[in-house]
Amino acid sequence: QAPFQALYRTQDKIKDPVAASSEFKLQVTVQNTGFLPWSSVDARRPVFISYHWQNNSGKTVIYDGKRTSFNKEINPGEKTTVSVSIKTPDSPGRYVLAVDLVCEGATWFSHCGNPPLFIPVQVKKAG
C-alpha cells in the first residue's frame, strides 16, 4: 500500500460530442486505497480531483486540468462521489480524458504508478 493510491469509477458515458472550449460535469466515484487521508483544505498537502487530456496517440496535450475539491476528508478505504468540472480542449478532435488526483506540491497520483480513469471523448467545433 502506497500513500497516493485510488480506484476510479464512473457510470457516466460521454456518447455525444462535447463542444470545444466548454465545460461539463462528470460524476466520478473515487476510493482511497492508499494509507493517507485526502483533504482539499489540508494546508500542507491538499488533494484534488483533476484531469489531463490526451490525443488518440496517447500524447498529453493538456496536462493540468481544473481542480475539483472534496467536500469532506476521505480516509483510507472510504469512497466518495464527486461532480468533477471538466473544461474541454479548444480544438475539435478525438481525445482521451484522463481523470487523476493531485496532491498539490507533492505529485500527481499517476506519477506514483496509480492509473488514471481513461474516457474517450469526441470534441466538436464550438457553436
Side-chain angles (χ1 to χ4, degrees):
Q1 194 179 30
F4 304 114
Q5 285 188 302
L7 288 175
Y8 307 96
R9 289 191 177 61
T10 184
Q11 300 298 320
D12 288 357
K13 304 284 189 248
I14 306 172
K15 296 177 186 162
D16 297 327
V18 292
S21 303
S22 67
E23 291 190 23
F24 68 94
K25 299 280 191 182
L26 181 72
Q27 294 294 118
V28 176
T29 299
V30 61
Q31 180 177 8
N32 183 345
T33 57
F35 62 77
L36 293 175
W38 307 334
S39 170
S40 296
V41 296
D42 184 324
R44 292 177 308 134
R45 51 177 178 77
V47 176
F48 299 93
I49 192 163
S50 188
Y51 55 90
H52 315 288
W53 285 102
Q54 300 175 345
N55 64 18
N56 268 351
S57 306
K59 180 178 184 278
T60 300
V61 293
I62 297 174
Y63 179 70
D64 212 6
K66 291 181 67 162
R67 307 303 201 253
T68 300
S69 299
F70 292 104
N71 60 5
K72 64 181 183 102
E73 186 171 281
I74 312 302
N75 289 305
E78 285 186 334
K79 291 181 189 176
T80 190
T81 300
V82 181
S83 184
V84 184
S85 293
I86 309 286
K87 182 180 183 308
T88 59
D90 295 335
S91 301
R94 293 185 181 276
Y95 294 91
V96 176
L97 174 65
V99 177
D100 199 356
L101 289 172
V102 60
C103 181
E104 297 292 357
T107 190
W108 288 88
F109 282 36
S110 59
H111 290 182
C112 297
N114 192 89
L117 173 66
F118 294 109
I119 302 168
V121 179
Q122 175 73 38
V123 176
K124 66 181 180 180
K125 189 175 178 182

